[in-house]
Amino acid sequence: MFRAHLVTLAALCGACAATTPPASAPAESAAAPAPAARLPDFTLNTLDGDRFSLSDHVGRDVIVISFWATWCAPCLNELPHLSELYEREKEQGLVVVAVSMDEPNTQAEVAPMARRLGLEMPVVIDAEQRAVRLYNKGRDAPMTVVIDRGGRIVKAQSGFNPGDEVRLEKQVMALLAS
């Protein structure tokens, strides 16, 4: 039933389709490495009431920033994989933060959706688009940004297709091992 709902959402989601590339080729860019000292910071409140600051983790941890929205079916498919990876590898220095780009009319759906998906990583609502302006200027959904322990962006990928989670996990594991 939930899967059928996701398929329906994907079909109805014109905005989501406009911000993600065709299923055959997710957009990926190797962003120019940025030193930790120059990586732009953002601080947002988590759904649990804590504060998440990127600067608390840059230069220390491997960081995955996942930009998503409740109306985006590919996002809802990707997030459980990221949550599982986070739970398995957080003790090794992996930080995953799910940044909701939901507008005011859908922000009330973020917490219930995070609970429904069983998300264990920090989930934040970027109501003022602080993180979006810094790391997802195209407002792509989903958009995954990977930052290595040195504070360099090593991957920025728009879209999600089955199998992307396997490639991401391999990259994250290699970064954690280095």
Side-chain angles (χ1 to χ4, degrees):
M1 177 76 168
F2 183 67
R3 182 99 172 125
H5 183 65
L6 289 178
V7 171
T8 303
L9 275 175
L12 297 174
C13 182
C16 187
T19 61
T20 56
S24 60
E28 183 176 335
S29 66
R38 296 197 328 220
L39 204 58
D41 190 24
F42 63 85
T43 299
L44 297 167
N45 292 324
T46 68
L47 296 180
D48 297 332
D50 297 326
R51 295 182 67 72
F52 179 90
S53 292
L54 186 64
S55 60
D56 289 345
H57 305 282
V58 170
R60 220 179 46 180
D61 299 311
V62 173
I63 305 163
V64 176
I65 306 171
S66 177
F67 292 94
W68 70 288
T70 57
W71 44 260
C72 172
C75 301
L76 303 181
N77 287 327
E78 179 184 41
L79 286 168
H81 297 291
L82 293 174
S83 184
E84 179 184 319
L85 180 61
Y86 169 72
E87 276 300 297
R88 257 193 352 258
E89 302 300 331
K90 66 184 177 185
E91 299 300 321
Q92 279 49 262
L94 175 63
V95 172
V96 177
V97 61
V99 178
S100 168
M101 301 186 304
D102 280 86
E103 299 290 332
N105 60 330
T106 57
Q107 285 177 1
E109 299 169 32
V110 173
M113 182 63 72
R115 279 192 302 276
R116 199 170 314 132
L117 295 173
L119 303 183
E120 296 296 328
M121 69 272 216
V123 177
V124 299
I125 298 175
D126 193 5
E128 296 174 11
Q129 306 296 295
R130 292 179 195 154
V132 170
R133 279 194 305 273
L134 295 172
Y135 294 97
N136 187 7
K137 291 180 177 147
R139 291 190 43 83
D140 293 342
M143 172 70 157
T144 306
V145 178
V146 180
I147 302 170
D148 71 9
R149 289 187 198 269
R152 291 174 299 276
I153 296 173
V154 295
K155 180 178 187 164
Q157 179 176 324
S158 303
F160 175 77
N161 293 306
D164 288 349
E165 73 279 7
V166 174
R167 288 182 287 283
L168 178 65
E169 181 174 345
K170 285 180 184 175
Q171 183 174 30
V172 165
M173 297 306 288
L175 291 172
L176 289 171
S178 61

Short mmCIF file of all heavy atoms in Angstrom, two decimals, residues 36 39 54-55 57-61 63 147-152:
data_model
loop_
_atom_site.label_atom_id
_atom_site.label_comp_id
_atom_site.label_asym_id
_atom_site.label_seq_id
_atom_site.Cartn_x
_atom_site.Cartn_y
_atom_site.Cartn_z
N ALA A 36 38.54 22.48 4.59
CA ALA A 36 37.60 22.51 5.71
C ALA A 36 37.38 23.92 6.23
O ALA A 36 36.27 24.28 6.58
CB ALA A 36 38.10 21.60 6.83
N LEU A 39 34.74 25.72 3.97
CA LEU A 39 33.46 25.10 3.68
C LEU A 39 32.37 25.87 4.42
O LEU A 39 32.43 26.04 5.63
CB LEU A 39 33.49 23.64 4.13
CG LEU A 39 32.53 22.68 3.47
CD1 LEU A 39 32.74 22.65 1.96
CD2 LEU A 39 32.72 21.28 4.02
N LEU A 54 26.91 22.09 10.80
CA LEU A 54 27.85 21.40 9.94
C LEU A 54 29.27 21.54 10.48
O LEU A 54 30.05 20.58 10.47
CB LEU A 54 27.76 21.96 8.51
CG LEU A 54 28.59 21.24 7.46
CD1 LEU A 54 28.12 19.79 7.28
CD2 LEU A 54 28.53 21.99 6.13
N SER A 55 29.61 22.71 11.00
CA SER A 55 30.97 22.96 11.49
C SER A 55 31.37 22.04 12.65
O SER A 55 32.56 21.86 12.90
CB SER A 55 31.12 24.42 11.90
OG SER A 55 30.21 24.75 12.93
N HIS A 57 31.18 18.99 12.59
CA HIS A 57 31.58 17.71 12.01
C HIS A 57 32.63 17.85 10.91
O HIS A 57 33.35 16.89 10.64
CB HIS A 57 30.36 16.99 11.46
CG HIS A 57 29.29 16.82 12.49
ND1 HIS A 57 29.35 15.86 13.48
CD2 HIS A 57 28.16 17.53 12.72
CE1 HIS A 57 28.30 15.97 14.26
NE2 HIS A 57 27.55 16.97 13.82
N VAL A 58 32.70 19.01 10.29
CA VAL A 58 33.64 19.22 9.18
C VAL A 58 35.07 19.09 9.68
O VAL A 58 35.44 19.63 10.72
CB VAL A 58 33.43 20.61 8.52
CG1 VAL A 58 34.54 20.93 7.54
CG2 VAL A 58 32.08 20.64 7.82
N GLY A 59 35.87 18.34 8.93
CA GLY A 59 37.27 18.15 9.29
C GLY A 59 37.49 17.01 10.26
O GLY A 59 38.63 16.71 10.64
N ARG A 60 36.41 16.37 10.69
CA ARG A 60 36.48 15.29 11.66
C ARG A 60 35.78 14.02 11.18
O ARG A 60 36.29 12.93 11.33
CB ARG A 60 35.79 15.77 12.95
CG ARG A 60 36.44 15.38 14.20
CD ARG A 60 35.70 15.92 15.38
NE ARG A 60 34.26 15.70 15.24
CZ ARG A 60 33.37 16.06 16.11
NH1 ARG A 60 33.72 16.67 17.19
NH2 ARG A 60 32.10 15.81 15.93
N ASP A 61 34.58 14.20 10.63
CA ASP A 61 33.73 13.08 10.25
C ASP A 61 33.53 13.03 8.74
O ASP A 61 33.77 14.01 8.04
CB ASP A 61 32.34 13.23 10.89
CG ASP A 61 32.39 13.24 12.41
OD1 ASP A 61 33.04 12.35 12.98
OD2 ASP A 61 31.77 14.14 13.01
N ILE A 63 30.70 13.13 6.12
CA ILE A 63 29.37 13.72 6.22
C ILE A 63 28.59 13.46 4.93
O ILE A 63 29.13 13.66 3.84
CB ILE A 63 29.45 15.24 6.45
CG1 ILE A 63 30.31 15.54 7.68
CG2 ILE A 63 28.06 15.86 6.57
CD1 ILE A 63 30.79 16.98 7.76
N ILE A 147 30.98 14.75 2.04
CA ILE A 147 32.14 15.53 2.47
C ILE A 147 33.09 14.58 3.20
O ILE A 147 32.67 13.87 4.11
CB ILE A 147 31.70 16.68 3.39
CG1 ILE A 147 30.69 17.58 2.67
CG2 ILE A 147 32.91 17.48 3.88
CD1 ILE A 147 30.00 18.61 3.55
N ASP A 148 34.35 14.58 2.80
CA ASP A 148 35.32 13.68 3.44
C ASP A 148 35.81 14.24 4.77
O ASP A 148 35.45 15.35 5.16
CB ASP A 148 36.47 13.34 2.48
CG ASP A 148 37.43 14.49 2.21
OD1 ASP A 148 37.35 15.56 2.88
OD2 ASP A 148 38.28 14.33 1.31
N ARG A 149 36.64 13.46 5.47
CA ARG A 149 37.14 13.87 6.78
C ARG A 149 38.01 15.12 6.70
O ARG A 149 38.19 15.81 7.70
CB ARG A 149 37.94 12.74 7.42
CG ARG A 149 37.10 11.57 7.89
CD ARG A 149 37.99 10.59 8.67
NE ARG A 149 37.41 9.29 8.81
CZ ARG A 149 36.65 8.91 9.83
NH1 ARG A 149 36.36 9.76 10.79
NH2 ARG A 149 36.18 7.68 9.89
N GLY A 150 38.55 15.40 5.55
CA GLY A 150 39.35 16.60 5.36
C GLY A 150 38.52 17.84 5.10
O GLY A 150 39.06 18.93 4.94
N GLY A 151 37.20 17.68 5.05
CA GLY A 151 36.32 18.82 4.82
C GLY A 151 36.18 19.19 3.36
O GLY A 151 35.85 20.32 3.03
N ARG A 152 36.40 18.23 2.47
CA ARG A 152 36.27 18.47 1.04
C ARG A 152 35.02 17.79 0.50
O ARG A 152 34.76 16.63 0.83
CB ARG A 152 37.51 17.93 0.30
CG ARG A 152 38.76 18.74 0.59
CD ARG A 152 39.99 18.10 -0.04
NE ARG A 152 40.24 16.75 0.47
CZ ARG A 152 40.91 16.48 1.59
NH1 ARG A 152 41.40 17.44 2.33
NH2 ARG A 152 41.09 15.24 1.98
#
